[in-house]
Amino acid sequence: MSSSYFVNVTDSFADRLTAQGLQHVLAALLEKQNNPTDAILWTDCGGYVRFDLDVPISDETVQGLGADNYIMPIRFIRTEKNAGDLPSNLPSRFMEDYEDRKAQNAAFYEVVRTGQRDAELPPKPLMWDVLRTINPAALPGWTNILSNWWVLRENQSLVVGLILDLYSQLPNPVNEAEDYWRQLDKQHGWDIKPDATCQQFFNPDQGKGQNRAKADAVSVGNMKGFWLPEFLKMVGFYRDAVTRTVAGGKDRKIFVIEPRRMSYGDHAAIMARFKPTITSEASTRFDILAALRYCLVLLDYYFERAPENNPLMAMLGESIQQNLVGGFRTAFYMDLGNAVATMNVSAIALPGWVRVPEPADVPALRDTLNELITFTRQFDEKNSDAFTLLQLLRDFVSGDDLDAFFRLTNAFSGYYMGQRERGKYAYQLTTPTIERIISMTNPKLSDILQSEGFRNIAAAIRQSTVLAQYRKASGDRLYDIRYGLGQNLTRVARKGKEAEFMAALADFIHLYNAENARIYEVRKVQYRKNVTTNDLNEITALLDEYGAPTIARMLVAYGYARQLKDEAPEEMPPEDSVIEDDN
C-alpha cells in the first residue's frame, strides 16, 4: 500500500471534511496494526491535502478486514421515529441515543440557567451539537449511507481498498472509482448504487436549487455524489466539525478547521480542548472568537510540549497561521423548520501576527489573546455601532489588516465615551496589548511606540478623555472631558495634511497645558504632567518620517487604551450567561 494519500480541495469546506474523514479512516487502520496514529501528517499543498504515513498500511491489514474485524469510525443516531429503520443486529456501542443525549443536554442547561453555582453540573454531552445538526434534516441520508457501510462490513476489505486506491492518486479518479464500484456491486449482488444525496450540511454549495454542472436545464432536485466520499464527509463532520446555533434563534453556523501542517495526534488533542470553548454567539462574534480561542488553545498545547521539542518551538516562532493552521472554513445556515438554507459560505483565518519568538513570550501573548476575547464579547451585534466595530475587528483578526485595527480603535474611542457617558459597560484594550499588536503586525512602527514624546502626548489624550470621564463618574469634575478628540485628530490627519494635523494637535496641547496651569493656580498641586516642547519636537520628527495618518491613528489607539495602573476594568458578564440551549 502507499505511504501517501491525497485529497483534492477547493474553497468549500466539503473537501476539508473529506480529508478529515480520510484521516480518521487511516488512523483506524493504523490502530489495527498497532502503529501510532501520530504517524499521520497532514500537509496543505494548495490544491490538495497530502497525508504522509511513517508506517504504511499493509496489504495484510486491509485484506484482514471482514465480519469479525472491521472499522466503524462514526455511529448511527437513534430517535423515536427512526428506531425501526436501524439494523436489527447493531451493537449499542455503534449507536447514539438522541433522546438520552437531549435529556442530558437539558439537565446541564437547567443548572446553568437557574444559577445553581454551588450545584455540581451534570455532564454536558459534547456530541449533542452534532446530533442536533443532523436531526432531522440530514438524518435519513446519514442513516442510509451508514447502513451501507454496516451492511458491507463482511466485505470491508474491498470497500476500504477502494477508498485507499481512490486517494492514493492525484487528481482523485472519482469517476473511475464509481465505475469500479458498479462492477463490484454487480459481482457481489449488494444492490448499493454508487451515488448518494449530497447532504447540505456537509456540502453547503450543493443543496437543493439550480445546481446543474452543465447549465442546459433548471432543476431544484438534490445533488448526487459518489457515496464513499460522502461517507468520509460524514466521518469528518461527526469527528471534527464545530457546529452551534446562532444566539437568539435556530440558525446555525458550522466551522471546519483548515490545518497547514499537523500530525493526527496533535489535531485530535487540540480539537478536544477547543470544542468546549465554543458557545452560541451572534454570527460575527462567532468568527472572531473561534479564531482567537483556537489560537489560544493551540498556543497552550504546543507550549506545554515546546521545552522538550526545539523544532516545535521553531514552528511557533514564525507565523502560526502559515506553519500550523490557516483557520476555518465556515457556513451559515438559516433554519426553515425541517430544512435549512445556506446563506453564506466564508473563511476566517487565524491571526497571522501570532508567533512566539521565545518561550518567555507566551504569557504576554496569552494575555493579549484573552484580552481580545473579552474585548470582543462586549459588543452586541444588534447595535449598529457595535456591529461596525465587530466587522472591523474581524477584518483585523482574520486579515492581519492593521488599517482595520486603527479604524477600529478610532471608532471605539467614540463608542467608549458614549457608553460610559450613559453609565453602560465598556471594556478597553490595555496599552501593552496595543503595543504588542502594532509591533507584531508591523515591526517598523515599534520606534514610534518607544518615543517619549509620543507616549507623553498619548497620555495627555488619555487624561483628557477616558480618565477625565472616569473621574467624573466618581464625582470628580476637576478637568474638562474632550469629547470627540480622537475622531477630530484622525479626521484632520489626511495624507499630505501634516500642517493641519499639527495645528489641531497644538490646539489641544495648548488647552491641556492651560488647564493644568489653571488648576495648579487654584490647588497649588500639579496633578497632570504637562506636554513639553521636546515632546512636540519628537512628534514633528515622527510626522516627517511616518506621516500624519499613521501618527494620528496610533495616538488615538494608544491614548484611548487603558494603562495597567489606571482604574480596574469593570467585570465582564459571566460566560455562562450567553450560553443557549440548542434544543
Side-chain angles (χ1 to χ4, degrees), residues 430-445:
T430 63
T431 50
T433 288
I434 297 290
E435 291 176 15
R436 290 187 206 109
I437 288 174
I438 292 175
S439 60
M440 294 178 74
T441 307
N442 188 345
K444 294 180 180 179
L445 301 181

Side-chain angles (χ1 to χ4, degrees), residues 96 101 104-105 108-109 122-133 237-239 241-244 271-278 582:
E96 287 279 1
R101 294 289 183 260
Q104 291 176 23
N105 188 69
F108 174 87
Y109 281 108
K124 183 177 187 293
L126 296 180
M127 290 304 301
W128 170 249
D129 295 291
V130 171
L131 303 184
R132 183 65 187 90
T133 303
F237 184 86
Y238 185 86
R239 302 283 292 269
V242 178
T243 168
R244 300 287 187 272
M271 289 301 295
R273 296 185 183 193
F274 169 67
K275 286 183 179 181
T277 71
I278 300 301
D582 185 15

Side-chain angles (χ1 to χ4, degrees), residues 267-320:
H267 165 73
I270 291 170
M271 289 301 295
R273 296 185 183 193
F274 169 67
K275 286 183 179 181
T277 71
I278 300 301
T279 58
S280 180
E281 295 284 356
S283 182
T284 308
R285 284 202 336 186
F286 241 140
D287 291 346
I288 301 166
L289 292 175
L292 293 174
R293 284 171 170 157
Y294 183 89
C295 205
L296 188 60
V297 169
L298 182 147
L299 185 67
D300 285 345
Y301 174 79
Y302 276 106
F303 181 63
E304 290 170 6
R305 307 173 61 205
E308 294 81 29
N309 192 332
N310 290 330
L312 185 58
M313 200 65 222
M315 295 281 284
L316 294 176
E318 300 177 9
S319 172
I320 289 176

Side-chain angles (χ1 to χ4, degrees), residues 347-474:
I348 180 79
L350 296 190
W353 47 268
V354 175
R355 56 187 180 276
V356 189
E358 300 292 338
D361 297 325
V362 170
L365 187 52
R366 290 190 80 261
D367 289 344
T368 296
L369 291 170
N370 278 316
E371 194 171 304
L372 284 170
I373 289 170
T374 304
F375 183 74
T376 302
R377 289 186 55 232
Q378 71 181 304
F379 300 122
D380 183 358
E381 289 189 32
K382 296 178 182 178
N383 180 293
S384 60
D385 291 340
F387 180 64
T388 299
L389 293 171
L390 283 171
Q391 287 181 310
L392 293 171
L393 184 54
R394 180 172 58 184
D395 289 344
F396 164 66
V397 168
S398 183
D400 295 336
D401 186 352
L402 195 57
D403 180 68
F405 179 73
F406 285 136
R407 286 186 282 126
L408 165 69
T409 53
N410 179 51
F412 179 75
S413 66
Y415 175 87
Y416 176 86
M417 299 293 285
Q419 288 289 100
R420 294 303 298 264
E421 188 68 17
R422 294 188 292 271
K424 294 184 177 181
Y425 173 85
Y427 179 89
Q428 301 162 272
L429 295 175
T430 63
T431 50
T433 288
I434 297 290
E435 291 176 15
R436 290 187 206 109
I437 288 174
I438 292 175
S439 60
M440 294 178 74
T441 307
N442 188 345
K444 294 180 180 179
L445 301 181
S446 297
D447 290 344
I448 299 175
L449 298 171
Q450 302 308 314
S451 165
E452 184 177 358
F454 171 87
R455 287 176 173 268
N456 288 340
I457 293 176
I461 293 173
R462 186 179 304 110
Q463 289 283 354
S464 296
T465 54
V466 295
L467 290 182
Q469 192 176 51
Y470 173 77
R471 295 190 182 101
K472 176 187 173 183
S474 303

Side-chain angles (χ1 to χ4, degrees), residues 37-59:
T37 56
D38 263 357
I40 305 172
L41 179 64
W42 172 307
T43 303
D44 186 343
C45 300
Y48 63 94
V49 170
R50 186 180 76 236
F51 294 107
D52 294 312
L53 281 60
D54 290 345
V55 181
I57 296 168
S58 67
D59 292 334

Side-chain angles (χ1 to χ4, degrees), residues 16-22 24 73-74 130 142 202 230-242 255-256 267 275:
R16 268 81 185 176
L17 286 178
T18 305
Q20 299 284 9
L22 177 62
H24 288 297
I74 55 177
V130 171
W142 180 276
F202 321 138
E230 294 305 307
F231 172 76
L232 293 179
K233 291 173 190 176
M234 289 166 47
V235 175
F237 184 86
Y238 185 86
R239 302 283 292 269
D240 288 318
V242 178
F255 296 83
V256 176
H267 165 73
K275 286 183 179 181

